[in-house]
Amino acid sequence: ATVEQVRSLLSGSYAINTPLKDGSMAVKVVKANDIAILVKSGPLGRKIQAALLRESIPAVSNSTESVAEGDAFSAFVSLANAFERPSDDGGVRQVAMSALFAVPGRDSRLLTETYLTALQQTLENWRQAMADKGIAALALLILANDQVRKAFLATELGERHLTDFNQIVEFIEDATAGQSISARRLKEVLTEIDEVDHHSNELAARRVESDDDAVQISTIHSTKGLQYSIVLVVDMWSSWTAAQS
């Protein structure tokens, strides 16, 4: 219903009044960045964002979440585990099933011995680059990988993934002063990201993707919606019973 409402608003049939510098008002057709969607929780916001993107409606998420709550962080955790135990087949499988490689349907039957062997070698190359030159070198190799570009970036949530990925890399680089790091140190920094108070640390608070002409999706706690011309409030009714209403 929310997607249908947004599509209707963007159909060209609706207009809003916009104040001009001279105090007069101008009428303009509703654009995506005129619309805000308020939700109770981040997970619901992400579901609505994905649904809008599937309909080719630009949408970005702006909530009070930590970057540790996203797919990119989970992928980094998988990498750290695999780097720490390079000969462990389980660690390689975990990376393959993460958002980085996104094995179709997360179907473990597709993880053939040949695939896992090739991925294990790729992970060893990545681990060595990180150990020699630091997190920036690792990030470059990851983003240059054809499978990662297809599974992690070239999707409806690719911009969200890339924003989170770059933010995590920045946090790690700041924590390690850009120096070479071990798998154990990577795990320690990821734990710091997970445990830090993201309300007071902007490096851990999840950033918004590019918001040029995009529907803004926020939790009810992070914005009052007063800066937007049109505000859609989703699921506020769900906690009320017929008697209460």
Side-chain angles (χ1 to χ4, degrees):
T2 302
V3 175
E4 291 298 326
Q5 181 66 52
V6 172
R7 183 189 292 112
S8 176
L9 288 168
L10 296 176
S11 66
S13 301
Y14 294 87
I16 56 176
N17 291 323
T18 303
L20 301 177
K21 291 182 179 180
D22 62 5
S24 62
M25 301 294 288
V27 178
K28 72 167 189 173
V29 174
V30 173
K31 298 177 63 177
N33 59 7
D34 293 317
I35 304 171
I37 299 175
L38 302 189
V39 295
K40 282 184 178 180
S41 65
L44 175 60
R46 290 195 296 274
K47 288 177 65 175
I48 293 174
Q49 180 187 19
L52 288 170
L53 292 173
R54 282 195 295 272
E55 297 298 321
S56 299
I57 300 173
V60 296
S61 177
N62 177 19
S63 72
T64 56
E65 294 181 321
S66 164
V67 71
E69 297 180 48
D71 290 338
F73 183 81
S74 298
F76 263 106
V77 172
S78 298
L79 284 174
N81 290 333
F83 289 164
E84 192 172 45
R85 301 186 303 275
S87 61
D88 181 10
D89 182 67
V92 179
R93 289 175 176 273
Q94 188 180 36
V95 173
M97 302 292 274
S98 74
L100 277 180
F101 290 92
V103 171
R106 300 296 199 271
D107 189 348
S108 60
R109 293 173 298 180
L110 299 177
L111 301 180
T112 64
E113 184 175 348
T114 300
Y115 179 89
L116 291 173
T117 299
L119 180 55
Q120 190 170 35
Q121 183 58 57
T122 295
L123 295 180
E124 175 56 23
N125 294 340
W126 290 0
R127 184 199 65 77
Q128 192 61 54
M130 183 183 73
D132 291 342
K133 300 180 181 179
I135 191 64
L138 171 62
L140 286 174
L141 287 177
I142 292 175
L143 295 181
N145 184 278
D146 288 340
Q147 292 181 65
V148 171
R149 292 173 68 86
K150 181 178 179 180
F152 190 63
L153 301 179
T155 67
E156 59 196 23
L157 292 178
E159 189 173 2
R160 173 75 271 165
H161 288 157
L162 183 60
T163 300
D164 286 352
F165 180 91
N166 288 336
Q167 184 176 349
I168 293 165
V169 169
E170 182 180 335
F171 191 108
I172 297 170
E173 190 159 42
D174 183 71
T176 60
Q179 302 298 311
S180 59
I181 56 176
S182 65
R184 176 174 295 183
R185 179 58 181 144
L186 176 60
K187 292 187 71 172
E188 291 173 352
V189 177
L190 291 173
T191 299
E192 292 173 19
I193 297 175
D194 194 26
E195 295 179 349
V196 73
D197 181 0
H198 60 275
H199 295 286
S200 60
N201 188 318
E202 65 177 22
L203 276 179
R206 204 173 199 190
R207 295 173 185 164
V208 183
E209 312 97 302
S210 172
D211 58 0
D212 293 340
D213 194 22
V215 175
Q216 306 291 310
I217 302 172
S218 301
T219 59
I220 196 74
H221 305 291
S222 63
T223 180
K224 293 182 179 179
L226 299 180
Q227 66 269 46
Y228 303 106
S229 300
I230 300 171
V231 178
L232 304 180
V233 183
V234 180
D235 82 340
M236 293 298 104
W237 56 269
S238 60
S239 61
W240 289 81
T241 63
Q244 288 174 315
S245 61

